[in-house]
């Protein structure tokens, strides 16, 4: 399972990248706004900076919601760097845009996927990735993880080439369960990734090793 980091924060990207476990980055308009990035020029500069930091796929989302607008924006985004994957929302024009981009060799990430039916349509249109949002399903009383399990089953039967990119990850258990369920990729903020690292017995064990070394060596 690949690990993407879900942020537009360069410090977080750098930190995760130095851990040696990052295979890509996802962003969205909310994450860009959180970093105070305003306007197309600033957004494009941030995408380029991220591409220069990370060796992997970098998702950049279109703002337009009509077919022509998405095509215009997506082609401009794809021209920033060959690492860019154009992120397109799961709406009718988005589906048409995915089909178009696939036809001209631009890779896509279909975002805001909440059901198996939406996922199947995105696969048929040729999406490189689909992004089912686990946390947001949990938020409204559905079991987000169940969607990942169901999609893994469908993908195994159908042999889709599209990759399941589990998104809206909120905690380390989400990541572990995605690995169990067979997600191809998870995208997570830095905190749940760092939480995977921690175990109290590791800290206690290390403290004892160092104390014993100190006793023996003075
Ligand atoms: O990748 C999508 C993700 O950023 C959404 O996460 O926590 O806003 O639901 P969240």
């Amino acid at each position: 399972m690949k690990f993407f980091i879900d942020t537009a924060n360069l410090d977080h990207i750098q930190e995760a990248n130095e851990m040696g476990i990052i295979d890509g980055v996802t962003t969205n308009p909310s994450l860009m706004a959180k970093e105070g990035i305003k306007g197309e020029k600033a957004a494009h500069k941030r995408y380029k900076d991220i591409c220069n930091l990370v060796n992997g796929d970098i998702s950049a989302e279109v703002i337009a919601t009509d077919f022509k607008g998405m095509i215009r924006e997506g082609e401009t985004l794809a021209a920033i760097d060959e690492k860019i994957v154009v992120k397109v929302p799961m709406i009718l024009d988005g589906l048409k845009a995915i089909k178009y981009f696939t036809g001209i060799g631009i890779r896509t990430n279909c975002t805001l996927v909440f059901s198996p039916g939406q996922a199947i349509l995105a696969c048929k249109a040729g999406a490189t990735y689909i992004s089912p949002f686990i946390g947001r399903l949990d938020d409204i009383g559905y079991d987000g993880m169940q969607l990942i399990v169901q999609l893994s089953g469908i993908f195994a039967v159908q042999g889709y080439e599209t990759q399941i990119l589990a998104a809206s990850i909120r905690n380390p258990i989400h990541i572990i369960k995605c690995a169990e369920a067979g997600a191809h990729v998870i995208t997570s903020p830095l905190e749940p990734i760092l939480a995977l690292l921690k175990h109290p017995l590791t800290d206690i064990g290390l403290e004892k090793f160092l104390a014993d070394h100190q006793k023996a060596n003075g």
Side-chain angles (χ1 to χ4, degrees):
M1 186 173 80
K2 285 187 264 180
F3 270 51
F4 289 0
I5 184 161
D6 194 29
T7 183
N9 181 293
L10 294 179
D11 291 336
H12 286 194
I13 293 169
Q14 180 74 22
E15 175 78 357
N17 207 29
E18 284 172 5
M19 287 169 72
I21 50 107
I22 289 301
D23 304 295
V25 180
T26 51
T27 60
N28 64 39
S30 304
L31 294 172
M32 296 292 274
K34 196 171 162 193
E35 297 307 311
I37 299 163
K38 287 185 204 144
E40 201 176 67
K41 203 169 157 204
H44 289 188
K45 180 174 181 324
R46 179 56 57 102
Y47 293 138
K48 190 65 190 174
D49 289 344
I50 295 172
C51 288
N52 288 338
L53 271 180
V54 176
N55 190 17
D57 287 351
I58 315 298
S59 285
E61 188 161 340
V62 297
I63 305 296
T65 54
D66 65 294
F67 177 74
K68 278 192 181 157
M70 283 190 248
I71 297 310
R72 204 169 32 242
E73 255 185 74
E75 287 181 340
T76 309
L77 289 170
I80 293 173
D81 195 287
E82 61 184 18
K83 294 175 187 168
I84 293 286
V85 174
V86 178
K87 204 169 175 187
V88 176
M90 169 34 82
I91 54 177
L92 181 58
D93 276 21
L95 210 55
K96 293 178 186 173
I98 288 168
K99 179 83 187 158
Y100 171 84
F101 287 133
T102 304
I104 60 168
I106 291 178
R107 292 169 307 137
T108 55
N109 174 356
C110 183
T111 189
L112 293 167
V113 169
F114 293 94
S115 75
Q118 291 179 323
I120 290 168
L121 288 177
C123 291
K124 292 290 291 175
T128 314
Y129 298 101
I130 50 152
S131 289
F133 278 33
I134 300 174
R136 290 193 195 183
L137 280 168
D138 291 352
D139 288 345
I140 61 159
Y142 287 79
D143 182 358
M145 194 51 61
Q146 206 40 51
L147 176 60
I148 306 299
V149 171
Q150 195 176 5
L151 292 180
S152 285
I154 293 170
F155 276 52
V157 170
Q158 297 297 330
Y160 292 136
E161 285 176 19
T162 302
Q163 295 186 52
I164 301 169
L165 196 175
S168 189
I169 297 272
R170 303 279 175 76
N171 57 60
I173 303 292
H174 275 157
I175 300 177
I176 294 163
K177 291 216 168 282
C178 279
E180 275 177 0
H184 302 97
V185 191
I186 57 97
T187 189
S188 167
L190 182 60
E191 295 76 14
I193 296 173
L194 291 178
L196 289 175
L197 194 71
K198 297 297 289 179
H199 197 290
L201 289 180
T202 304
D203 297 338
I204 292 165
L206 183 59
E207 211 172 297
K208 181 160 173 24
F209 284 156
L210 295 180
D212 289 345
H213 175 83
Q214 188 65 25
K215 257 188 258 163
N217 293 273

